[in-house]
């Protein structure tokens, strides 16, 4: 399977330029599997984060997820929620927190399920779960917090490959890495466009949600082979900051990422995908740090 993306991008940071090209390191998607699910199956990216002073290091895992709205129970292959209570119902999204007799707080374990804000008309439920500061490091196997993000498909563990079609899609790249003072920490790159599927070939065209915020041309070529549970293949993403003078020392100068895992799934006339990139950031001060980004997106067949 070969994916080709050509798009002009206007990103939220003035002077940001990106270039993406083929790479020889293979991404092998083998998601962690749940032994069973008493609710709705899905796929997600689970991020395990450790804090060391001002630095945050994250490791991603592609995993099956399971949500039971009757018992308010959420599980990944290696994590599970507990004592979640419904705290708000806003539009098509239900919000839960682990209260344990306390009050609503941003530091509580939290879960939201329902409408993905990038596609409010989508019917594939979006799920985001985070432990924040609600569990000890010992409970989290040495991590400071864990976050899971993905989509629910239904009772089927995997979905069949789609017939030839064109999908209008929205996607975003987010992530954490390096110092919390760096501009790659919690970076957010939203995009929209289309995916055309014909046999084993996907052609993708995307543009930024935020035009006229700075020049940048983005070109992507990925060689991927679809499997029953994800993709094997090659992809390489590079970003270069075009700011010529006056950059703060901790601002990122170069970012070099490799696709690690990617999974797609389908329901009726909709598709969704989750993936993970890892690599390195170099700041204007010359310091380097490891960074991890997640990719999430959804589309509807025309």
């Amino acid at each position: 399977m070969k994916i080709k993306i050509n798009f002009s991008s206007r990103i939220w940071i003035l002077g940001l330029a990106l270039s993406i090209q083929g790479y020889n390191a293979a991404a092998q998607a083998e998601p962690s599997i749940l032994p069973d699910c008493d609710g709705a199956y899905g796929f997600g990216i689970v991020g395990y984060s450790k804090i060391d002073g001002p630095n945050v290091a994250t490791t991603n895992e592609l995993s099956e997820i399971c949500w039971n709205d009757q018992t308010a129970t959420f599980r990944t292959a290696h994590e599970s929620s507990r004592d979640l209570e419904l705290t708000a119902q806003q539009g098509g999204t239900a919000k839960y927190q682990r209260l344990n007799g306390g009050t609503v707080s941003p530091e509580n374990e939290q879960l939201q399920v329902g409408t993905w804000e990038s596609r409010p008309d989508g019917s594939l439920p979006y799920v985001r779960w985070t432990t924040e500061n609600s569990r000890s490091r010992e409970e989290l196997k040495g991590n400071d917090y864990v976050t899971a993000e993905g989509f629910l498909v239904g009772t089927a563990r995997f979905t069949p490959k789609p017939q030839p079609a064109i999908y209008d899609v929205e996607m975003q790249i987010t992530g954490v890495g390096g110092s919390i003072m760096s501009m790659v920490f919690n970076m957010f790159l939203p995009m929209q466009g289309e995916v055309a599927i014909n046999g084993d070939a996907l052609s993708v065209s995307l543009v930024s949600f935020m035009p006229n915020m700075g020049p940048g041309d983005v070109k992507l070529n990925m060689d991927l082979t679809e499997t029953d549970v994800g993709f094997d293949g090659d992809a390489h993403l590079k970003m270069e900051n075009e700011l010529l003078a006056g950059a703060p020392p901790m601002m990122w100068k170069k970012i070099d990422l490799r696709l690690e895992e990617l999974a797609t799934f389908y329901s009726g006339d909709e598709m969704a995908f989750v993936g993970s990139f890892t690599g390195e950031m170099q700041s204007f001060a010359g310091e380097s740090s490891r960074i991890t980004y997640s990719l999430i997106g959804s589309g509807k067949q025309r």
Side-chain angles (χ1 to χ4, degrees):
M1 179 176 297
K2 188 178 291 290
I3 294 180
K4 296 181 178 179
I5 302 179
N6 297 292
F7 57 99
S8 295
S9 179
R10 301 295 183 263
I11 307 298
W12 62 284
I13 302 176
L14 181 63
L16 171 69
L18 298 85
S19 65
I20 308 175
Q21 59 193 29
Y23 189 56
N24 292 324
Q28 297 181 340
E30 294 293 339
S32 298
I33 303 300
L34 281 164
D36 57 72
C37 177
D38 56 0
Y41 276 107
F43 281 101
I45 291 293
V46 186
Y48 295 88
S49 298
K50 295 182 179 180
I51 301 172
D52 181 13
N55 298 314
V56 178
T58 297
T59 300
N60 279 349
E61 174 189 57
L62 179 62
S63 174
E64 278 192 315
I65 58 178
C66 178
W67 166 246
N68 185 322
D69 61 357
Q70 299 299 311
T71 59
T73 301
F74 176 77
R75 291 189 295 138
T76 74
H78 298 113
E79 308 298 331
S80 64
S81 67
R82 57 184 180 186
D83 301 329
L84 291 174
E85 297 182 47
L86 182 64
T87 59
Q89 191 85 42
Q90 299 177 353
T93 299
K95 297 185 177 182
Y96 297 79
Q97 288 198 8
R98 181 187 174 195
L99 300 178
N100 285 347
T103 59
V104 170
S105 167
E107 294 189 353
N108 292 344
E109 180 177 328
Q110 298 183 52
L111 179 139
Q112 68 179 74
V113 57
T115 302
W116 185 42
E117 61 182 12
S118 296
R119 285 202 63 237
D121 61 336
S123 63
L124 283 170
Y126 164 79
V127 178
R128 188 178 190 277
W129 173 75
T130 179
T131 62
E132 293 299 331
N133 298 318
S134 61
R135 302 193 192 187
S136 68
R137 209 173 196 192
E138 290 73 22
E139 290 180 285
L140 296 175
K141 304 177 181 65
N143 296 288
D144 289 288
Y145 61 91
V146 179
T147 298
E149 185 178 30
F151 291 96
L152 300 174
V153 185
T155 57
R157 300 182 73 96
F158 304 107
T159 59
K161 298 177 184 178
Q163 299 296 315
I166 295 178
Y167 292 81
D168 293 308
V169 299
E170 288 77 30
M171 62 175 284
Q172 63 192 40
I173 297 175
T174 59
V176 295
S179 170
I180 60 175
M181 304 300 294
S182 170
M183 290 193 70
V184 298
F185 183 79
N186 279 343
M187 180 176 277
F188 172 68
L189 301 176
M191 287 166 277
Q192 63 184 344
E194 70 175 38
V195 175
I197 300 176
N198 187 6
D200 286 337
L202 278 75
S203 61
V204 184
S205 177
L206 299 168
V207 296
S208 170
F209 268 123
M210 303 177 183
N212 304 318
M213 292 296 289
D217 291 326
V218 182
K219 296 181 179 179
L220 169 63
N221 292 293
M222 293 197 296
D223 292 313
L224 298 173
T225 301
E226 191 168 10
T227 70
D228 291 338
V229 295
F231 286 88
D232 292 340
D234 304 331
H236 194 202
L237 180 147
K238 288 185 177 180
M239 304 182 190
E240 293 188 7
N241 196 322
E242 286 188 338
L243 190 60
L244 300 178
M250 291 305 297
M251 179 180 287
W252 68 271
K253 182 178 181 181
K254 295 182 180 181
I255 294 176
D256 194 336
L257 300 173
R258 184 183 69 241
L259 179 67
E260 297 287 346
E261 298 178 309
L262 179 69
T264 63
F265 37 100
Y266 310 91
S267 176
D269 62 352
E270 290 190 77
M271 71 174 298
F273 46 91
V274 292
S276 176
F277 287 88
T278 62
E280 188 176 77
M281 179 275 295
Q282 184 181 61
S283 70
F284 277 92
E287 298 179 356
S288 297
S289 63
R290 182 179 181 274
I291 54 177
T292 299
Y293 285 157
S294 61
L295 170 70
I296 186 167
S298 176
K300 189 170 184 178
Q301 184 177 326
R302 288 181 184 173

